[in-house]
């Protein structure tokens, strides 16, 4: 690792007797200007190649029960500038080396009336800006409550936005593609039903927010290193096209409890005239601290299957019996209950998945619904809902662990909390010890439903601290975490790489709940995935769910080739083959790609990118030199045109292409695909047809 940190001298520009300072990105394309306005209010402005990205915007925080908040009447007490350049190796990732290169300006502000100081730290990368508020130790600012953070992002126009409605409890919405000025009219319609949700404004939206300007700039607003602070949403003033930060409140309505010294999360703005720069950026990770886990040898990418899709679709159940409308753990006797005959997590059924996974080279099998309590787990604000260690009578923990071990398969634990967070924290040590005693190295946790304690929100400070507690506690036990319904990631996986996956967006399960928009997967890489990988659970081969679950008329809005491409375009070191073994057995030639594709990478090259329309990426498998490529398409039929110049020069490769056909239709003929083999080199060009909601996937094998 190489590090360079040098103090630099910058030119200060004085206008209207108020100091203004400029900071440029390392490549010189982005300029950030900081100034105090006439009221002593801190402001910033961001330009890309001399075009406004963020017009002059105010900064500051409003404090609860405070006569003089941290909003105005500041003077500049000190400025420090520096540059930083390092490379670091992630434990897992899209690339094996990440460069962290930025120029920095730290401005210390003094408020004379209160004798308080705050520092605003700006870091300018080639792909965008990160800034945060810092509160150094001082006599007159020790503890305070945030009423609202007043960070502004004043847009330079009525941009096209790819947005989901602001919500304190869920991100599981389909994306909308509209002008900023159209958000208000569509806000309520966009808020589709969810088991836990709480909106706050007709113009509220969530980060990561992707936008495109009329003149072809791609913008993204997000946050990084969300720790001990509420999750940030954005509230749009659609008269001025200005977003203001909107923090998630707690049960009392407060928006953050701060003990000084303290740093807020980073607020980020990415910008480029090439959409590929946005999806390839590692800026969010770079704004997080290096790994706090010294020995990372136990953290390993995983390709897995699971007893899950059959439950999501209604073919089988999590619950063991229909006899008990209510359950009391430790009192209810399941040995006297009549099995409902539909329980998915049976010893026999899990063995079927283990056999299939072992036969086809997978690493692990997830099992949901194995533990007692699923008969009344949801909707009752029940505190003692699960104990995370007691199996149903038809699930033999020891037998299955021995069976899986003999087959070379790991089992993945499932901890659904039903959002009874106090109960989970009561049991978490016991649950993790149980996992290690029985050979489980990874857990999928869940937070379905309204949070207990009553009144807390999924993204309030209290819950942010809980999610972090679970990750850090898991690291103590050498356990990898895949959290569902938790807050969307903000690069924390750099610091705690055992956070190997998250859901935190509308995943494949919604294809069994009525379906998702056909272009959904062409937006996620520009939004949700910028902060960390998503456990999207791809690989569905049977799109008509009624064929195997007669009471469910949902349809997966995707072609089969699109499902293969997702293993590349929706990056994750934790990738699931989500469908059932019998469906893969019907299409063994297409299933071969899922068997072959890697989950950890030495390099990645984004070849085509347009949010909401298409994404094409090639990735080099870690340690093998093999390349794989995936391309997903949106609503419209198109031809993808790429050059294979990422391949090593002077070598020949056999490319196996899994693609849509001219007859493929995601609604009426989604399983129509073609597989062909061609010889290619780094000079080869490819023109490939893509159906709506379709795409293609390619594996490359060097010809010796």
């Amino acid at each position: 690792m190489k590090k360079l940190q040098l103090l630099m001298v910058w030119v200060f520009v004085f206008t209207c007797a108020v100091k203004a300072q400029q900071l440029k990105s390392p490549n010189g394309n982005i300029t950030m200007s900081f100034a105090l306005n006439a009221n002593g209010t801190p402001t910033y402005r961001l330009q890309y190649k001399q075009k406004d990205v963020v017009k002059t915007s105010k900064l500051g925080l409003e404090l609860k029960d405070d006569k003089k908040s941290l909003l105005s009447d500041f003077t500049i007490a000190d400025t420090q500038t520096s540059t930083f350049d390092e490379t670091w190796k992630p434990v897992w990732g899209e690339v094996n080396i990440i460069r962290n290169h930025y120029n920095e300006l730290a401005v210390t502000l003094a408020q004379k009336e209160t004798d308080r100081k705050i520092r605003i730290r700006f870091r300018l990368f080639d792909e965008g800006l990160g800034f945060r508020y810092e509160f150094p130790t001082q006599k007159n600012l020790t503890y305070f409550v945030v009423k609202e953070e007043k960070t502004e992002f004043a847009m330079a126009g009525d941009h096209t936005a790819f947005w989901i409605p602001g919500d304190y409890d869920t991100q599981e919405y389909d994306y909308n593609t509209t002008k900023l000025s159209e958000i208000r009219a569509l806000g309520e319609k966009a808020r589709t039903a969810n088991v836990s949700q709480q909106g706050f404004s007709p113009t509220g939206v969530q980060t990561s927010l992707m936008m495109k300007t009329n003149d072809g700039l791609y913008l993204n607003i997000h946050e990084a290193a969300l720790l001990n602070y509420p999750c940030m949403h954005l509230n749009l003033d659609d008269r001025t096209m200005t977003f203001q930060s909107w923090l998630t409140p707690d049960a009392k309505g407060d928006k953050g409890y701060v003990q000084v010294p303290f740093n807020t999360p980073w607020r980020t703005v990415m910008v480029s005239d090439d959409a590929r720069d946005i999806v390839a950026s590692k800026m969010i990770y770079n704004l997080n601290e290096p790994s706090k886990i010294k020995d990372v040898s136990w953290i390993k990418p995983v390709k897995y299957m699971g007893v899950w899709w059959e439950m999501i679709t209604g073919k089988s159940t999590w619950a063991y019996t229909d006899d008990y409308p209510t359950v009391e753990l430790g009192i209810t006797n399941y040995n006297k209950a009549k099995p409902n005959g539909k329980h998915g997590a049976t010893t026999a059924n899990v063995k079927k998945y283990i056999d299939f996974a072992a036969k086809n080279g997978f690493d692990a099998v997830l099992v949901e619904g194995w533990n007692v309590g699923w008969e009344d787990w949801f909707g009752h604000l029940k505190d003692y809902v699960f104990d995370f260690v007691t199996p149903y009578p038809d699930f033999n923990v020891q037998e299955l662990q021995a069976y899986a071990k003999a087959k070379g398969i790991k089992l993945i634990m499932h901890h659904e909390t039903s959002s009874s967070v106090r109960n989970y924290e009561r049991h978490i040590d016991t649950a993790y010890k149980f996992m290690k005693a029985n050979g489980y190295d990874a857990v999928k946790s869940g937070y379905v439903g309204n949070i207990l304690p009553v009144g807390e929100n999924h993204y309030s400070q209290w819950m942010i601290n809980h999610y972090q507690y679970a990750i850090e506690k898991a690291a103590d036990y050498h356990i990898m975490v895949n959290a569902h319904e938790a807050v969307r990631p903000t690069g924390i996986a750099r610091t705690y790489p055992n956070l190997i996956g998250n859901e935190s967006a509308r995943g494949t399960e919604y294809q069994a709940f009525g379906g998702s928009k056909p272009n959904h997967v062409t937006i996620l890489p520009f939004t949700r995935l910028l902060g960390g990988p998503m456990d999207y659970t791809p690989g569905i081969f049977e799109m008509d769910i009624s064929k195997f679950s007669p009471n469910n008329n949902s349809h997966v809005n995707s072609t089969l080739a699109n499902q293969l491409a997702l293993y590349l375009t929706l990056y994750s070191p934790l990738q699931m083959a989500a469908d059932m073994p019998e469906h893969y057995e019907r299409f063994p030639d297409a299933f071969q790609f899922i068997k072959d594709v890697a989950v950890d990478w030495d390099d990645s090259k984004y070849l085509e990118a347009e949010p909401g329309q298409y994404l094409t990426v090639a990735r080099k498998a870690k340690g093998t030199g093999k390349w794989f490529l995936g391309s997903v398409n949106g609503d419209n039929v198109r031809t993808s045109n790429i050059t294979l110049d990422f391949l090593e020069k002077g070598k020949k490769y056999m490319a196996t292409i899994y693609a849509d056909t001219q007859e493929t239709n995601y609604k009426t003929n989604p399983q129509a695909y073609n597989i062909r083999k061609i010889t290619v080199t780094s000079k080869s060009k490819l023109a490939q047809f893509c159906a709506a909601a379709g795409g293609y996937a390619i594996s490359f094998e060097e010809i010796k």
Side-chain angles (χ1 to χ4, degrees):
M1 178 180 293
K2 297 179 180 179
K3 291 186 177 181
L4 173 66
Q5 188 160 11
L6 299 171
L7 286 178
M8 301 181 70
V9 178
W10 295 91
V11 178
F12 296 137
V13 179
F14 295 85
T15 57
C16 300
V18 179
K19 290 183 179 179
Q21 292 125 65
Q22 283 194 346
L23 184 68
K24 287 190 176 292
S25 61
N27 64 8
N29 286 339
I30 308 177
T31 303
M32 191 284 299
S33 303
F34 173 84
L36 295 178
N37 69 14
N39 295 322
T41 298
T43 68
Y44 76 104
R45 179 186 180 192
L46 195 67
Q47 293 179 302
Y48 179 80
K49 295 181 180 179
Q50 300 182 332
K51 292 181 180 178
D52 273 341
V53 175
V54 179
K55 298 188 298 182
T56 299
S57 299
K58 295 177 182 178
L59 300 169
L61 295 95
E62 183 180 3
L63 309 187
K64 182 180 179 182
D65 299 327
D66 191 78
K67 294 181 180 179
K68 187 72 172 179
S69 287
L70 301 173
L71 295 171
S72 61
D73 294 333
F74 286 106
T75 59
I76 295 177
D78 183 54
T79 60
Q80 293 184 352
T81 57
S82 63
T83 188
F84 186 78
D85 195 1
E86 71 167 356
T87 57
W88 58 279
K89 293 182 71 68
V91 177
W92 41 260
E94 297 181 86
V95 293
N96 65 1
I97 295 177
I98 293 175
R99 188 182 185 189
N100 184 13
H101 188 198
Y102 58 81
N103 292 328
E104 180 175 281
L105 169 66
V107 182
T108 300
L109 302 174
Q111 196 176 50
K112 185 176 181 180
E113 180 181 332
T114 62
D115 192 24
R116 293 170 174 173
K117 289 184 178 180
I118 64 170
R119 183 183 301 113
I120 305 177
R121 189 177 302 275
F122 300 92
R123 288 182 180 172
L124 201 51
F125 301 78
D126 284 342
E127 64 265 49
L129 173 69
F131 62 91
R132 71 182 181 190
Y133 302 95
E134 300 178 356
F135 307 95
T137 300
Q138 55 196 289
K139 183 177 66 173
N140 291 338
L141 192 65
T142 54
Y143 291 88
F144 61 87
V145 179
V146 178
K147 184 176 181 180
E148 189 59 80
E149 182 184 317
K150 296 290 189 175
T151 303
E152 291 183 350
F153 306 86
M155 297 294 96
D158 188 9
H159 305 326
T160 297
F162 304 84
W163 59 276
I164 54 176
D167 199 295
Y168 298 151
D169 282 299
T170 185
Q171 296 124 358
E172 297 178 357
Y173 293 116
D174 255 323
Y175 280 90
N176 305 278
T177 303
T178 73
K179 292 292 188 180
L180 295 176
S181 58
E182 297 172 323
I183 291 175
R184 181 182 297 274
L186 295 173
E188 282 307 309
K189 183 179 179 182
R191 194 177 305 283
T192 50
N194 194 284
V195 295
S196 180
Q197 56 190 150
Q198 180 63 55
F200 60 85
S201 166
T203 57
V205 298
Q206 299 195 43
T207 71
S208 167
L209 175 67
M210 188 69 192
M211 291 171 282
K212 185 179 181 181
T213 70
N214 289 336
D215 53 358
L217 287 187
Y218 298 89
L219 314 180
N220 187 281
I221 302 176
H222 197 18
E223 65 179 320
L226 175 57
L227 294 165
N228 193 21
Y229 201 73
C231 172
M232 181 183 75
H233 298 75
L234 300 170
N235 196 35
L236 177 67
D237 182 337
D238 48 10
R239 298 165 300 175
T240 63
M241 300 303 161
T242 298
F243 287 105
Q244 186 179 98
S245 58
W246 188 281
L247 303 181
T248 305
D250 67 3
K252 293 172 60 180
D254 295 329
K255 295 200 170 185
Y257 301 92
V258 173
Q259 178 183 355
V260 176
F262 183 79
N263 302 327
T264 69
W266 297 90
R267 280 64 186 98
T268 65
V269 183
M270 293 185 193
V271 56
S272 180
D273 49 17
D274 188 336
R276 295 176 297 178
D277 294 338
I278 304 296
V279 285
S281 173
K282 299 297 177 285
M283 192 178 94
I284 300 297
Y285 282 102
N286 281 331
L287 288 166
N288 281 265
E289 295 297 317
S291 176
K292 292 186 181 297
I293 302 173
K294 301 306 179 185
D295 174 17
V296 295
S297 60
W298 52 276
I299 302 172
K300 299 181 184 300
V302 176
K303 192 190 299 185
Y304 73 107
M305 303 188 70
V307 185
W308 173 78
W309 186 241
E310 62 180 79
M311 298 169 169
I312 289 291
T313 56
K315 180 183 179 184
S316 64
T317 66
W318 286 268
Y320 170 76
T321 181
D322 297 333
D323 286 356
Y324 301 145
T326 66
V327 169
E328 292 183 83
L329 299 186
I331 297 175
T332 300
N333 188 346
Y334 281 96
N335 291 316
K336 294 183 177 180
K338 177 184 177 183
N340 61 20
K342 299 182 294 181
H343 186 220
T346 68
T347 300
N349 194 34
V350 174
K351 283 183 175 180
K352 181 184 77 171
Y353 279 84
I354 292 171
D355 289 343
F356 188 81
K359 176 183 175 183
N360 291 285
F362 286 79
D363 303 307
V365 170
L366 164 74
V367 185
E368 296 197 12
W370 66 276
N371 56 316
V372 297
W374 287 91
E375 286 72 23
D376 67 342
W377 73 283
F378 172 74
H380 308 294
L381 293 177
K382 184 178 181 181
D383 185 29
Y384 189 23
V385 57
F386 294 117
D387 68 6
F388 311 100
V389 296
T390 305
Y392 279 122
D394 59 354
F395 185 87
N396 190 312
V397 174
Q398 288 73 32
E399 180 182 344
L400 282 170
Q401 189 56 42
Y403 190 82
K405 185 177 181 180
K407 298 273 187 173
I409 296 295
K410 283 282 187 179
L411 291 178
I412 297 177
M413 178 58 70
H414 182 231
H415 288 168
E416 176 54 62
T417 69
S418 188
S419 284
S420 180
V421 178
R422 183 181 68 166
N423 181 61
Y424 191 38
E425 291 191 357
R426 262 198 312 255
H427 289 87
I428 200 165
D429 277 292
T430 300
Y432 284 164
K433 288 175 183 176
F434 178 84
M435 285 179 59
K436 297 309 291 185
N438 290 283
Y440 292 81
D441 297 331
V443 60
K444 173 185 175 182
S445 57
Y447 297 88
V448 175
N450 293 326
I451 298 293
L452 280 176
V454 172
E456 284 296 337
N457 297 300
H458 277 76
Y459 313 138
S460 62
Q461 183 181 22
W462 193 84
M463 282 303 298
I464 300 304
N465 290 342
H466 164 76
Y467 302 135
Q468 190 65 27
Y469 173 78
I471 295 165
E472 294 183 25
K473 179 69 73 171
D476 291 341
Y477 289 92
H478 286 194
I479 287 172
M480 298 181 290
V481 175
N482 168 27
H484 282 227
E485 295 88 31
V487 71
R488 74 284 190 282
T490 57
I492 300 295
R494 180 187 180 188
T495 312
Y496 288 92
N498 65 318
L499 180 59
I500 198 171
N502 277 105
E503 182 192 37
S504 305
R506 188 182 179 97
T508 297
E509 63 184 356
Y510 278 84
Q511 299 281 23
F513 304 158
S516 295
K517 290 180 180 178
N519 73 338
H520 183 59
V521 296
T522 67
I523 298 175
L524 285 173
F526 297 91
T527 53
R528 160 63 185 79
L529 275 88
L530 292 181
M534 181 179 178
D535 184 31
Y536 184 76
T537 62
I540 304 302
F541 278 14
E542 178 52 73
M543 313 304 174
D544 185 351
I545 293 172
S546 66
K547 288 184 177 179
F548 59 92
S549 183
N551 294 324
N552 189 338
N553 293 316
S554 299
H555 190 278
V556 179
N557 294 324
S558 165
T559 73
L560 193 148
N562 176 283
Q563 290 291 310
L564 299 181
L566 294 176
Y567 288 91
L568 282 305
T569 60
L570 297 182
Y571 166 70
S572 178
L574 180 77
Q575 287 283 23
M576 186 182 196
D579 212 335
M580 293 175 282
E582 53 266 36
H583 295 158
Y584 291 132
E585 288 171 340
R586 288 169 49 200
F587 304 97
D589 53 354
F591 184 56
Q592 186 64 45
F593 182 82
I594 298 179
K595 292 165 60 176
D596 292 340
V597 69
V599 290
D600 200 16
W601 309 99
D602 276 332
D603 200 6
S604 296
K605 302 294 184 184
Y606 285 90
L607 309 179
E608 300 177 299
E610 185 64 33
Q613 297 186 34
Y614 53 81
L615 182 74
T616 304
V617 61
R619 304 193 192 273
K620 186 179 183 181
K622 183 164 285 188
T624 70
K626 293 183 179 180
W627 283 88
F628 296 86
L629 183 148
S631 181
V632 289
N633 192 35
D635 295 324
N636 302 312
V637 171
R638 71 180 288 264
T639 297
S640 170
N641 291 285
I642 59 173
T643 300
L644 306 183
D645 54 6
F646 53 86
L647 297 172
E648 190 172 340
K649 291 179 174 58
K651 292 185 176 181
K652 290 185 177 181
Y653 297 81
M654 180 61 67
T656 304
I657 304 173
Y658 304 76
D660 298 324
T661 71
Q662 294 289 335
E663 290 73 39
T664 305
N665 182 288
Y666 77 89
K667 277 293 189 185
T668 61
N669 197 17
Q671 294 164 326
Y673 62 90
N674 173 267
I675 302 175
R676 70 185 193 278
K677 294 180 181 288
I678 59 174
T679 301
V680 298
T681 70
S682 62
K683 297 181 180 179
S684 300
K685 297 181 184 297
L686 180 68
Q688 180 60 56
F689 170 80
C690 299
Y696 61 98
I698 307 176
S699 60
F700 298 90
E701 188 81 32
E702 183 183 345
I703 300 173
K704 302 293 186 178

